[in-house]
Amino acid sequence: MFYDPSLSVLAMSGSHDLAVDVVLIAPKEFEASSSQRTYREKNFTSFIDRMGHFGFQKDYVRRINEALGLECLATYLRESGLKVAIVNCNLAPMGSRAIADLVAASGARLVGISLIYRPQVAQAIELTQLLPRDVTVAMGGALASFMKHELLSCLPGLDAIVFGEAEETFRAFAASVIAGGEIKGLPGVAFRDGAHVVVTPADKPLDLGLIRAPQRDSLAYLNAVGRAPRIASLYTSRGCMAKCTFCTGKDAYNVERRRTYRFRDPVAVVDEMETLTRSFGTEFFYINDDNFLGYGNKSERRVEKFASEIIARNLNIEFATECRVDGLDRDLLHLLKEAGMVQMLLGLESGSDAVLKRWRKGATAEQNREAVRTVKALGINVEPGFILVDAHTTPDEIAENISFIRETGLDRTPFPTYLINRLSVYPGTEIEQTLTASGVLARSQIAVGMALRDDPGAILREFERLEYRSVEPRVEVFWRGLRQGIEPIEQIIEDVLPTTTGLLLVARDSGDKTRRRLASDCIKQIVKWRRDVGRLILQYIEIGHRSFEEASAAVQLRRFRSALKEMRAEYDRMHLGSGMQDWLAFIESRFA
């Protein structure tokens, strides 16, 4: 096997001093449309610049975008003897022109672009327009898999989409491209053929007992640039058996097949974790499974074995998981906590039974309450998967969510901004079809089966089409006012806290006694500001709900904004003694 992570380090450093067969690209995540992003869509990898602030990294940065799917593909390609470089733009931001120049200089024959969700679309489209035309360009990932016809119809620079579970499929595709062979007989491939798009039958599900571990080029890059990669991602299972109308995850590995749920050998997973701790000093693992705990006794036994194996090896690690609320077992959670589980994303989505039924969530509000109680009672941080608003949300449903948040204390978790989400509509989901049929969404202007056309802008317009207004106008005003109020709070948490706290920590540990004492006092202020911010966010939601009583939508929005501004000013004065900007200016003047 040809494995040289230095190729990816060179590529992500922008060096043209490399020669490879395949370049795999994870586009940078940013919102090119006019949509208001939900918190879950924000670029978690914006924290990369803050990874030098160890205290902030340890407490708040719990995941980075490693482009794990591309690293899985790299294992299989390298086993075939191909030289592969990964360009992960979320760790090493690169412009599309720079990437195109790098590809041209590398002599690569094939470029693979990962397209998992909407924030990656803009750069992915740019790349198809700029990459050399003598290079075969393919896309893969969940979003690409669900937009095969649209992407191939409108992007003349895109040659193929390899869809579904792609380790074996993409290896066969790459071998054929490099050898100058045909791809028409390969499974799981969509391609341009004359004036139309051709889609071959999906490949069979992979046996996860035989699958190889991903290579870790992204972590090698972080090491090379002096950013200790104490965080890594991995998966222990693939698939989901749920039927949620808004989710693509349940079908991401099983496009055009029935849903499946499979899991890896737990000993092999722990072997991978142990290797990463030794190779990179990894201390925290984010487990990317759609439903870590899975279904049935077999899955429960493998999770038990997984936890027991970590404990037996005394790995001294921490990890986070994502789970449904209907699969929690208290004894198993105890064991997982002993093994190092400190955080769990619970797929709650709503505290309203009517909403959960509308989304076919397969759980009740009471199950959600009990799940939060159980996890919090064990001292495990709850990361709330929560959707406050959708196209048909009513004021009564918002009131139910407020009561649910108060009862469960979700505003007192380390992740209160996760409560401010609006349901995102993704292509190929049941909710997209339902909202289009009911007229909430306009119909797509890209007809399946149409002749090919040169119109990359149509893809961005397709995502604009998926932006909706709430059927109840007052709910739309509520949402827009709330998002505008929350945005600066998120910016403080993501951007201001790490740099300011890092500055204060340096001052606290150096200088004269007076300077150290002042720095310590300022640290206490900002810690309290951060710890209590969930209470402020819940009050924002409550003020928004009271705004439904206003005489008109225009008055509602004006008074809602004014009330949020006043509340935020009072919150800052209470915690910092002044407004945030004045407090930051003081810190700058005394410690910069």
Side-chain angles (χ1 to χ4, degrees), residues 350-509:
S350 179
S352 166
D353 281 315
V355 174
L356 294 170
K357 185 176 181 180
R358 183 160 74 234
W359 297 338
R360 281 223 315 273
K361 182 65 186 175
T364 66
E366 182 53 37
Q367 284 178 298
N368 283 346
R369 291 188 189 91
E370 180 59 28
V372 175
R373 285 193 291 263
T374 298
V375 175
K376 290 181 70 174
L378 292 170
I380 298 168
N381 285 329
V382 173
E383 184 181 353
F386 204 79
I387 302 171
L388 188 63
V389 171
D390 76 348
H392 293 96
T393 295
T394 66
D396 286 345
E397 290 169 350
I398 293 173
E400 288 182 276
N401 277 327
I402 291 172
S403 297
F404 178 82
I405 293 168
R406 279 206 170 277
E407 291 169 14
T408 56
L410 287 180
D411 58 310
R412 298 190 295 276
T413 72
F415 313 97
T417 49
Y418 287 25
L419 299 170
I420 312 302
N421 283 308
R422 179 173 179 154
L423 187 142
S424 295
V425 180
Y426 283 92
T429 57
E430 184 177 340
I431 196 71
E432 186 256 341
Q433 297 165 12
T434 300
L435 293 180
T436 300
S438 65
V440 172
L441 297 177
R443 294 197 175 275
S444 174
Q445 297 301 302
I446 307 174
V448 174
M450 66 175 289
L452 304 185
R453 68 194 209 189
D454 182 358
D455 189 7
I459 302 299
L460 291 179
R461 292 194 296 275
E462 181 72 359
F463 283 95
E464 295 284 357
R465 178 185 75 85
L466 297 175
E467 290 298 312
Y468 58 86
R469 299 182 68 85
S470 296
V471 172
E472 166 56 65
R474 298 292 186 88
V475 173
E476 183 69 20
V477 171
F478 163 86
W479 169 251
R480 293 191 175 274
L482 185 61
R483 279 303 313 160
Q484 291 168 3
I486 291 294
E487 189 73 26
I489 294 175
E490 293 175 343
Q491 289 175 351
I492 289 170
I493 292 173
E494 296 178 14
D495 299 329
V496 174
L497 279 182
T499 52
T500 303
T501 304
L503 186 67
L504 291 170
L505 287 171
V506 170
R508 187 193 64 181
D509 297 333

Side-chain angles (χ1 to χ4, degrees), residues 3 19 86 88 96 98 106 124 226 234 237 270 304 332 371 373 452 490 512 559 561-562 577 584 588 592:
Y3 175 49
I86 295 174
N88 186 345
S96 300
S106 73
L234 53 80
S237 69
V270 180
E304 182 178 352
L332 190 54
R373 285 193 291 263
L452 304 185
E490 293 175 343
D512 59 39
R559 291 185 177 175
R561 286 174 172 170
S562 177
L584 291 173
E588 180 75 15

Side-chain angles (χ1 to χ4, degrees), residues 71 130 514:
E71 293 180 333
L130 295 175
T514 301

